[in-house]
């Protein structure tokens, strides 16, 4: 929805998102993947938006088109927060799919899912706030930073935390720096995309590229991967 949505494209964005959600359910069912509450919530949410696109007035659709990204992030954040409040964190069902049953009631297993679900809720809230700033203050629905870069960074951080935290919580000697090993390449790509698209001044773009290259080299030197660390010196 975030990719397609924009002025004059609300109905198309909502329909595309609903279709993708339904396709995900269908493909999952064909492969024997259990349907969880988040998938149902997604279908219902985009179904409601699609109906609004058909029956709402032009002024309502214009408002929805402007705030669709923030509404979606707020909905996801609210979903994650509610699952935390009812003590069924949103990631728990997915984790149980790949965890032996005897470990599913372990307090550590539950704590890991509480933490991961809370981080995802925070990422969605950050995306909503930043997007709202771009729309309401900057008056730019497609701002390079508020519509794309910062929300993407928040989501990537949540994904990196999801990958890192279980091993850390179970006592493995993993550095917290690994949560941010994606950041230097992300800065590098941001500089390149910003330069090519003229979204940022040339000097800023070049600075981001340099920071990304230097940061990637420093991260690799200070925090080598397990395979690199195992190589003979």
């Amino acid at each position: 929805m975030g990719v397609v949505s924009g002025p004059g494209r609300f109905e198309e964005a909502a329909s595309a998102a609903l279709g993708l959600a339904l396709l995900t359910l269908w493909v999952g069912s064909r492969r024997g993947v259990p349907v969880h509450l988040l998938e149902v919530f997604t279908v219902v949410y985009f179904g409601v938006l699609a109906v609004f696109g058909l029956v709402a007035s032009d002024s309502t659709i214009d408002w929805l088109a402007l705030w669709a990204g923030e509404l979606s992030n707020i909905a996801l954040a609210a979903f994650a927060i509610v699952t935390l409040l009812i003590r069924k964190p949103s990631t728990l069902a997915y984790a149980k799919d790949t965890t032996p049953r005897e470990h599913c009631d372990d307090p550590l297993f539950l704590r890991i899912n509480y933490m991961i679900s809370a981080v995802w809720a925070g990422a969605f809230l950050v995306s909503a706030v930043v997007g709202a700033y771009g729309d309401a203050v900057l008056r730019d629905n497609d701002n390079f930073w508020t519509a794309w870069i910062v929300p993407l960074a928040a989501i990537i951080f949540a994904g990196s935390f999801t990958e890192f935290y279980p091993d850390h919580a179970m006592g493995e000697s993993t550095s917290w720096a690994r949560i941010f090993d994606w950041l230097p390449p992300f800065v590098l790509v941001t500089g390149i995309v910003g330069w090519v698209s003229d979204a940022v001044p040339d000097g800023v773009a070049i600075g981001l590229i340099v920071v990304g290259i230097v940061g990637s080299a420093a991260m690799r030197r200070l925090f080598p991967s397990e395979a690199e660390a195992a190589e003979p010196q």
Side-chain angles (χ1 to χ4, degrees):
M1 177 126 189
V3 172
V4 181
S5 184
R9 299 194 302 271
F10 174 78
E11 297 93 327
E12 292 86 348
S15 299
L18 175 61
L20 184 59
L22 290 171
L23 177 62
T24 302
L25 281 182
W26 181 79
V27 172
S29 66
R30 295 280 293 179
R31 297 184 177 182
V33 178
V35 175
H36 300 303
L37 185 59
L38 179 58
E39 284 86 40
V40 176
F41 173 79
T42 302
V43 170
V44 171
Y45 174 77
F46 287 124
V48 170
L49 290 187
V51 170
F52 269 113
L54 293 174
V55 303
S57 64
D58 290 342
S59 60
T60 300
I61 291 177
D62 289 342
W63 186 89
L64 288 170
L66 177 62
W67 296 101
E70 290 74 31
L71 290 173
S72 298
N73 281 310
I74 289 172
L76 286 167
F79 177 86
I81 291 170
V82 168
T83 63
L84 289 170
L85 293 176
I86 64 175
R87 299 184 178 183
K88 292 184 178 180
S90 56
T91 61
L92 188 61
Y94 301 96
K96 285 183 175 180
D97 288 343
T98 57
T99 302
R101 182 169 297 181
E102 61 269 19
H103 298 307
C104 289
D105 293 325
D106 190 301
L108 178 60
F109 176 76
L110 297 175
R111 180 164 64 87
I112 289 172
N113 280 278
Y114 274 110
M115 286 293 296
I116 293 175
S117 296
V119 168
W120 276 102
F124 294 133
L125 284 175
V126 167
S127 297
V129 170
V130 171
Y133 178 81
D135 291 344
V137 179
L138 302 180
R139 302 291 181 183
D140 185 358
N141 185 254
D142 198 34
N143 182 271
F144 180 70
W145 297 103
T146 61
W148 298 102
I149 300 303
V150 177
L152 277 174
I155 297 302
I156 294 173
F157 171 81
S160 181
F161 184 88
T162 300
E163 182 179 353
F164 160 84
Y165 187 70
D167 291 339
H168 175 80
M170 289 187 291
E172 295 190 17
S173 56
T174 51
S175 170
W176 282 91
R178 297 226 178 261
I179 298 179
F180 300 99
D181 60 0
W182 58 273
L183 186 56
F186 184 81
V187 172
L188 172 62
V189 172
T190 298
I192 294 173
V193 174
W195 199 2
V196 171
S197 64
D198 291 326
V200 297
D202 291 350
V204 174
I206 294 171
L208 290 172
I209 292 171
V210 171
V211 170
I213 293 173
V214 173
S216 296
M219 184 68 75
R220 184 172 181 177
R221 183 176 181 84
L222 295 173
F223 305 100
S225 66
E226 293 181 2
E228 291 171 337
E231 291 179 357
Q233 300 297 319

